[in-house]
Amino acid sequence: MNNHRGGICQHPVDMEAQTISGIKSNHTKNTFFSYNHIVGLVCLNSEQTKRLCEDYKVMFTCTGGFCSDCRTDWFDIDDPSGNGDYELLSELLALSPREVCASPLAMEAQTLSGTPASLTGDIFQVYDATYGFACVNADQSSGKCKDYRVRFTCPAEFCSVSQECRTGWFNSDNPSGIGDVESLSQLLQTYPDRICHNPISIFVKTVAGISAEHTGDKFLTNDVTFGFACINADQRKRSKMCEDYQVMFACPSDFCQGCKTRWFDFDNPDGNGDFERLSQLQSDFPDEICSEPLGIEAVTVSGTPALQTKNVFQV
């Protein structure tokens, strides 16, 4: 697997083997020291009674997602001028969250000239889709790593998300306290019908429109599981304060397939309160509201989400 990284999944479910001439392994009469999808094939000449081992080739069966054609661009965020060349997934997600999926299926690495990493003779400290790539200069006989770039294979839906299946921008916090925290759980509570529960990627920029990766701030987290958090105490710049950020999420395509009505304002709070009942709205606007809505959103006439008003709702 070390020589074919990126071409073999990390957890195969089955394996086949045959000689280079195409004869299936079970017809060769060789005895195998190991033959399974976890270890691979090992044939030892010392264990054969009549002949040496044949020259074999193997093929693995992987789960469907591994065969995805959804691949990222090549990334080269480091070079070996320091301790080595580090192309770590966590750093790539922080710098380019919209261009890399959070849980890649596989990773490829090659030199800037296009030579596969497995053919360079370098020794790698890390080479997998979970952490990314790391080549340490001290581990090399030459004293220095080549300059590498990496790309990832992502689930097919990461590439199929259209521009339309994205949420709006959310800015639920500011850095006046401990920092700017735009957590997914809190946003889901505040905007339950406007954010999916399983985002594919997250986009972050300041309220002035500057991408988060260009602000120089250090982030505690920036992912689709938690959301975004920038803590003032972690910043080294003179102001010691994070920028004011806003976030947007990309969601699976089915989240965007539902249609939405226009906004309705049938009542006002002059009497006992504000009553925007579905039955009454369907009676007054029979051609504009479906009989069985999937969700409801409520905002003030000025656009403030209902859950931010601190009003208590009967329904």
Side-chain angles (χ1 to χ4, degrees):
M1 185 177 288
N2 287 337
N3 292 329
H4 299 280
R5 287 167 166 158
I8 303 175
C9 53
Q10 293 183 336
H11 302 289
V13 295
D14 197 8
M15 183 191 79
E16 300 174 54
Q18 60 180 232
T19 67
I20 56 175
S21 61
I23 301 173
K24 292 187 176 181
S25 57
N26 59 327
H27 294 155
T28 63
K29 297 182 180 181
N30 278 161
T31 299
F32 302 109
F33 178 77
S34 172
Y35 189 111
N36 60 64
H37 64 276
I38 298 175
V39 176
L41 181 144
V42 178
C43 181
L44 301 176
N45 289 331
S46 60
E47 293 186 350
Q48 311 310 311
T49 57
K50 295 183 178 180
R51 63 179 73 180
L52 299 178
C53 295
E54 299 289 341
D55 190 359
Y56 290 96
K57 56 186 178 182
V58 295
M59 177 172 67
F60 295 90
T61 299
C62 298
T63 54
F66 180 78
C67 298
S68 169
D69 290 327
C70 177
R71 290 183 173 84
T72 67
D73 291 330
W74 290 99
F75 297 99
D76 176 30
I77 61 172
D78 194 21
D79 60 57
S81 59
N83 293 329
D85 193 345
Y86 296 84
E87 310 288 340
L88 302 180
L89 177 60
S90 59
E91 294 186 6
L92 288 167
L93 284 169
L95 291 172
S96 306
R98 71 185 65 186
E99 298 177 47
V100 186
C101 53
S103 301
L105 303 171
M107 186 195 76
E108 302 169 63
Q110 62 177 220
T111 65
L112 298 187
S113 61
T115 302
S118 58
L119 301 180
T120 63
D122 281 349
I123 297 172
F124 309 119
Q125 185 181 66
V126 178
Y127 191 132
D128 62 53
T130 303
Y131 297 100
F133 176 89
C135 180
V136 180
N137 289 335
D139 293 339
Q140 313 311 317
S141 59
S142 64
K144 191 173 185 178
C145 298
K146 306 290 191 300
D147 193 359
Y148 292 95
R149 59 185 180 182
V150 298
R151 72 174 178 179
F152 297 88
T153 298
C154 294
E157 64 178 2
F158 180 77
C159 291
S160 64
V161 174
S162 67
Q163 285 289 116
E164 288 71 34
C165 196
R166 295 184 179 184
T167 67
W169 288 99
F170 300 101
N171 180 23
S172 64
D173 194 21
N174 63 60
S176 60
I178 64 170
D180 194 343
V181 180
E182 309 287 343
S183 72
L184 177 60
S185 60
Q186 184 60 51
L187 289 169
L188 282 169
Q189 291 181 26
T190 307
Y191 309 99
D193 298 311
R194 296 169 62 185
I195 305 176
C196 54
H197 287 263
N198 55 336
I200 296 171
S201 56
I202 180 175
F203 314 121
V204 185
K205 66 180 181 181
T206 67
V207 292
I210 301 172
S211 296
E213 59 264 30
H214 298 312
T215 63
D217 281 350
K218 180 180 179 181
F219 310 126
L220 177 67
T221 183
N222 184 5
D223 59 51
V224 297
T225 302
F226 177 85
F228 175 85
C230 179
I231 306 302
N232 290 333
D234 293 339
Q235 310 313 311
R236 297 179 179 178
K237 57 188 181 182
R238 182 175 300 176
S239 67
K240 295 291 185 179
M241 182 174 284
C242 298
E243 299 291 335
D244 190 1
Y245 292 95
Q246 54 188 335
V247 298
M248 177 173 69
F249 297 91
C251 295
S253 56
D254 58 357
F255 179 76
C256 298
Q257 289 176 353
C259 63
K260 295 184 178 182
T261 67
R262 65 178 177 85
W263 290 100
F264 295 98
D265 179 22
F266 178 78
D267 194 23
N268 62 59
D270 289 343
N272 293 328
D274 194 344
F275 296 81
E276 308 289 341
R277 292 195 176 97
L278 176 63
S279 59
Q280 185 63 56
L281 290 169
Q282 287 176 326
S283 175
D284 288 4
F285 307 98
D287 297 325
E288 297 186 53
I289 304 178
C290 53
S291 59
E292 298 181 356
L294 301 175
I296 181 176
E297 299 174 56
V299 299
T300 65
V301 291
S302 63
T304 303
L307 293 178
Q308 287 188 352
T309 64
K310 297 184 179 180
N311 283 167
V312 177
F313 305 107
Q314 185 180 63
V315 178

